[in-house]
């Protein structure tokens, strides 16, 4: 009976066991995981665009090589995550279609422009830093294929973090123009970075069910606090200013206080109204069209079928 199966499922999660694709799971668990992993996969693929745009303009060959490798990693993460979501029964083609049509979301940080080279440094340091905070927590979650994919992703992201930090330090120790460029990038990225962890717990509709079933071991606000604890001291050590007059550490309650972002703006952006939302999707659609002949050739030659059977 459903109640008995649910009780056993919840007992397994309480014992810290991981759920595998063929195990029994409630429909809502499956639905939530598909939504979350699919959005995560979309974010990696769309997330390659702000930095990818800068590849031809990298200031040195060394930086260009590192940036190419990072962007390639992000797209690879997208593919790993679509595979993890596929284990729940939704075909990748359908997920990609939903991303291209705007039906399925992606992280709002990638709806912002990367205006200067310093934006590339801030993304690789603080967005990847935020992603590592989030993914390290999610990797302790209950769905095994997602956790396995995250473990590998975190390993690669830690190289991105080093690459980002190295770029940030170079700019922070550079000329006044370079320092100003870095500060300007931080000023523009601060609010999106705070928004990165999702709406406050009071407005987060999915957190209760995701916590109950161990998919999301810490809430959005808890994750934001871990990020602030880790990165605010490092940002200040570099001589940068954080553009929030209310940001301060509250000793008594052991937490950072900050100005709440404009959450109405957040919900508007995630509905597809961010500064670059439409352009990012247009670029993805173009890339998808340009790759159509490759997909068709793979189907026509039977290679696609062989790959599907081998998977
Ligand atoms: N952006 O109820 P909640 C990366 C939506 S990977 C856009 O709190 P939940 C690597 C949410 O979907 C970045 N939408 O939702 C990289 C929901 O809408 P829905 C992506 C957001 O799921 C680095 C509604 O708001 N990471 O950066 C956002 O409990 C550099 C209500 O929200 C992941 O996806 C947002 N930030 O918590 C790549 C990690 N936040 O579905 C390239 C896995 C919330 O009802 C370069 N995901 N929404 O229409 C998670 O940890 C969670 O899904 C959260 C959201 C924390 C993102």
């Amino acid at each position: 009976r459903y109640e008995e199966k649910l009780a056993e499922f919840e007992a397994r999660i309480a014992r810290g066991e991981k759920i595998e694709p063929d195990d029994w799971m409630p429909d809502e668990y499956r639905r939530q995981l598909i939504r979350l992993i699919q959005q995560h996969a979309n974010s990696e693929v769309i997330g390659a665009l702000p930095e990818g745009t800068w590849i031809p303009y990298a200031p040195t060959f060394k930086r260009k090589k590192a940036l190419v490798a990072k962007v390639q990693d992000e797209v690879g993460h997208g593919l790993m995550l679509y595979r993890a979501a596929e284990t729940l029964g939704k075909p990748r083609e359908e997920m990609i279609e939903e991303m291209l049509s705007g039906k399925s979301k992606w992280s709002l940080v990638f709806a912002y422009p990367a205006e200067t080279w310093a934006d590339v440094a801030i993304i690789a340091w603080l967005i990847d830093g935020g992603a590592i905070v989030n993914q390290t927590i999610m990797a302790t979650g209950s769905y095994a294929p997602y956790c396995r994919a995250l473990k590998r992703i975190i390993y690669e992201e830690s190289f991105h973090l080093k690459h980002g930090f190295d770029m940030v330090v170079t700019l922070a120790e550079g000329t006044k123009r370079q320092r100003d460029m870095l500060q300007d990038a931080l000023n523009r990225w601060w609010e999106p970075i705070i928004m990165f962890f999702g709406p406050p717990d009071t407005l987060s509709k999915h957190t209760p069910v995701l916590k109950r079933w161990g998919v999301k071991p810490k809430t959005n606000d808890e994750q934001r606090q871990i990020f602030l604890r880790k990165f605010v001291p490092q940002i200040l050590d570099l001589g940068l200013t954080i553009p929030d007059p209310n940001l301060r550490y509250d000793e008594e309650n052991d937490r950072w206080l900050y100005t709440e972002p404009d959450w109405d703006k957040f919900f508007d952006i995630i509905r597809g109204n961010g500064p670059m939302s439409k352009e990012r999707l247009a670029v993805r659609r173009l890339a998808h069209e340009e790759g159509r002949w490759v997909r068709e050739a793979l189907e026509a030659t039977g290679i696609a079928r062989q790959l599907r059977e081998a998977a």
Side-chain angles (χ1 to χ4, degrees):
R1 287 193 14 255
Y2 179 81
E3 283 73 23
E4 281 166 17
K5 285 185 176 157
L6 181 63
E8 171 53 16
F9 171 82
E10 293 193 335
R12 288 190 64 194
I13 289 176
R15 287 196 296 272
E17 286 176 32
K18 303 251 189 224
I19 306 301
E20 293 288 348
D22 290 339
D23 296 346
W24 186 88
M25 62 185 82
D27 289 346
E28 177 61 6
Y29 180 83
R30 186 183 299 276
R31 203 185 61 78
Q32 279 286 352
L33 271 164
I34 292 175
R35 176 192 67 83
L36 187 141
I37 304 174
Q38 179 176 356
Q39 288 183 5
H40 190 170
N42 298 342
S43 304
E44 299 279 356
V45 172
I46 300 266
L49 297 178
E51 289 165 284
T53 318
W54 275 92
I55 291 172
Y57 312 105
T60 66
F61 186 55
K62 184 183 137 198
R63 293 291 189 216
K64 185 179 289 209
K65 276 199 304 183
L67 187 57
V68 168
K70 179 188 191 290
V71 167
Q72 185 181 319
D73 281 353
E74 306 297 2
V75 178
H77 297 169
L79 297 184
M80 273 189 252
L81 290 163
Y82 284 126
R83 292 284 292 159
E86 273 188 319
T87 63
L88 292 152
K90 185 162 181 174
R92 183 168 63 185
E93 290 72 19
E94 203 179 318
M95 292 189 266
I96 290 174
E97 229 14 89
E98 288 182 357
M99 185 241 286
L100 296 175
S101 71
K103 190 175 166 205
S104 170
K105 293 193 170 67
W106 35 278
S107 184
L108 96 163
V109 285
F110 305 119
Y112 284 81
E115 288 180 14
T116 69
W117 178 251
D119 292 46
V120 177
I122 291 287
I123 292 172
W125 185 37
L126 294 180
I127 301 293
D128 279 82
I132 291 175
V133 165
N134 165 270
Q135 289 162 5
T136 307
I137 293 164
M138 301 299 274
T140 64
S142 59
Y143 187 57
Y146 185 43
C147 299
R148 283 193 284 268
L150 288 178
K151 238 174 117 181
R152 163 109 185 257
I153 291 172
I154 294 163
Y155 185 68
E156 293 185 355
E157 301 269 23
S158 17
F159 285 101
H160 303 169
L161 187 71
K162 286 194 178 120
H163 145 88
F165 188 62
D166 192 62
M167 285 195 287
V168 166
V169 170
T170 304
L171 292 172
E173 290 177 342
T175 60
K176 177 169 183 318
R177 201 162 154 221
Q178 284 173 312
R179 283 197 304 277
D180 288 349
M181 193 166 83
L182 184 62
Q183 182 64 58
D184 175 58
L186 180 66
N187 293 348
R188 285 180 288 102
W189 280 92
W190 186 252
E191 190 181 59
I193 285 166
I194 294 293
M195 289 174 168
F196 178 81
F197 298 92
D201 295 350
T202 46
L203 299 177
S204 167
K205 60 181 174 187
H206 301 297
T207 296
V209 71
L210 292 175
K211 256 206 119 171
R212 170 178 168 197
W213 285 331
V215 175
K216 185 173 173 179
K218 288 198 190 300
T219 68
N220 298 357
D221 285 333
E222 287 167 345
Q223 296 188 31
R224 215 175 338 259
Q225 284 296 323
I226 296 171
F227 173 82
L228 292 169
R229 208 165 292 155
K230 186 165 173 202
F231 284 98
V232 169
Q234 294 187 50
I235 296 171
L236 299 178
D237 276 354
L238 286 168
L240 294 165
T241 312
I242 296 176
D244 178 355
N246 298 318
L247 185 80
R248 70 178 176 85
Y249 186 63
D250 172 8
E251 299 262 351
E252 216 170 288
N253 297 305
D254 187 25
R255 66 187 299 269
W256 281 91
L257 301 175
Y258 51 86
T259 308
E260 281 295 335
D262 178 348
W263 293 110
D264 288 337
K265 182 165 109 186
F266 168 93
F267 285 110
D268 191 43
I269 294 175
I270 69 172
R271 275 193 294 268
N273 298 320
M276 295 285 284
S277 305
K278 292 182 179 61
E279 184 170 336
R280 296 276 184 249
L281 272 186
V283 172
R284 252 337 300 162
R285 282 192 198 118
L286 185 68
H288 195 68
E289 273 317 305
E290 285 180 347
R292 183 176 293 284
W293 70 271
V294 179
R295 292 189 298 278
E296 285 175 358
L298 289 173
E299 286 296 345
T301 53
I303 296 174
R305 186 177 44 79
Q306 282 170 22
L307 290 172
R308 274 195 295 270
E309 281 167 9

